[in-house]
Amino acid sequence: MNMHTLRPVAFDHPDAVKLNDEVQLEYAERYGDDGDATWLDPGMFAPPRGLYLLAYDERDRPVASGGWRSQDANEEAYADGDAELKRMFVIREARGHGLARRILAALEEDARAAGRTRMVLETGTKQPEAMNLYASSGYTPCAKFGLYRFDELSRCYAKPLHPAPATTDPQRAGATA
C-alpha cells in the first residue's frame, strides 16, 4: 500500500492551485461547462474558520485535496454552524487507495473541533463516485444550498458533526473504562 501524508496548506499554495486546476478540468469534462463557478477566497479556508488539506505521495507529489469553510445562515440557504466541503479531489492515478475517505475524516474532525455542527456539501449527478463516498460516510440528502441550488444536476448532502452525549446510551452511561 502506498503511504500518503496529509498536510494543511493555504488554498492558494502552488500545489493546491495545481490540483484545483485539475479538478476544474474534470468538472468541465463531466458537465460540459467551465467547471465550478463558486467564488472561493483563500482566506475562507484559514483556521479556525476552515482548513485545506493536500495528500502527498511517497515522492512528495500532491495527489489529493479537500477543504472546509465556515458557513452560517445566508441567502444561499446555508444554516448557522455549517462547515462546507469544497474541492474534494483525488487525481486519477491515486484513486482507490482511500485518500478521499482519509481527507474527509480529517476535515470532519477539524470542523467539529472548530465548533461547527454540520458538514454540508454539494456535488452532482455526473459524479456518482462522490455521491457513493458521501452516502457510505454517513451523509444524507438535504435541502439544496449554494450557487447550484437551482440546478437539476445538483445534489446536496449533510452530516451532523456534534458528538452525541455519552449519557444518551444507557448501556454506555454506566460503563467504566
Side-chain angles (χ1 to χ4, degrees):
M1 181 179 152
N2 292 338
M3 291 300 301
H4 295 93
T5 56
L6 300 184
R7 292 185 209 150
V9 300
F11 184 69
D12 56 359
H13 182 283
D15 290 341
V17 171
K18 177 181 185 258
L19 288 182
N20 190 51
D21 289 347
E22 286 189 46
V23 72
Q24 292 287 31
L25 286 173
E26 186 157 327
Y27 293 154
E29 286 174 18
R30 290 185 185 221
Y31 293 95
D33 58 19
D34 295 327
D36 183 353
T38 304
W39 179 79
L40 298 174
D41 181 271
M44 294 174 173
F45 298 96
R49 298 206 30 95
L51 178 68
Y52 205 75
L53 295 175
L54 293 185
Y56 288 86
D57 68 10
E58 64 280 351
R59 294 189 297 191
D60 208 36
R61 294 177 306 170
V63 295
S65 65
W68 73 268
R69 63 179 179 160
S70 293
Q71 292 284 8
D72 288 304
N74 65 23
E75 68 282 351
E76 289 192 340
Y78 292 96
D80 286 344
D82 281 353
E84 181 186 20
L85 280 174
K86 293 302 294 180
R87 298 300 186 262
M88 289 288 294
F89 177 66
V90 179
I91 65 170
R92 283 182 173 98
E93 53 270 25
R95 292 177 184 166
H97 298 284
L99 280 174
R101 208 169 286 284
R102 275 186 63 202
I103 290 172
L104 182 62
L107 294 173
E108 287 173 356
E109 183 56 37
D110 189 73
R112 183 181 296 108
R116 298 280 101 186
T117 57
R118 182 176 82 145
M119 188 69 88
V120 298
L121 67 99
E122 185 271 336
T123 188
T125 57
K126 295 186 180 186
Q127 294 166 265
E129 315 89 334
M131 293 171 61
N132 290 335
L133 168 70
Y134 299 125
S136 70
S137 299
Y139 287 77
T140 56
C142 67
K144 291 169 85 172
F145 57 84
L147 182 64
Y148 295 100
R149 64 194 177 280
F150 303 115
D151 190 313
E152 65 184 24
L153 300 178
S154 172
R155 297 293 181 269
C156 292
Y157 294 85
K159 178 181 180 178
L161 290 177
H162 52 278
T167 57
T168 59
D169 181 346
Q171 291 183 322
R172 293 188 69 204
T176 57

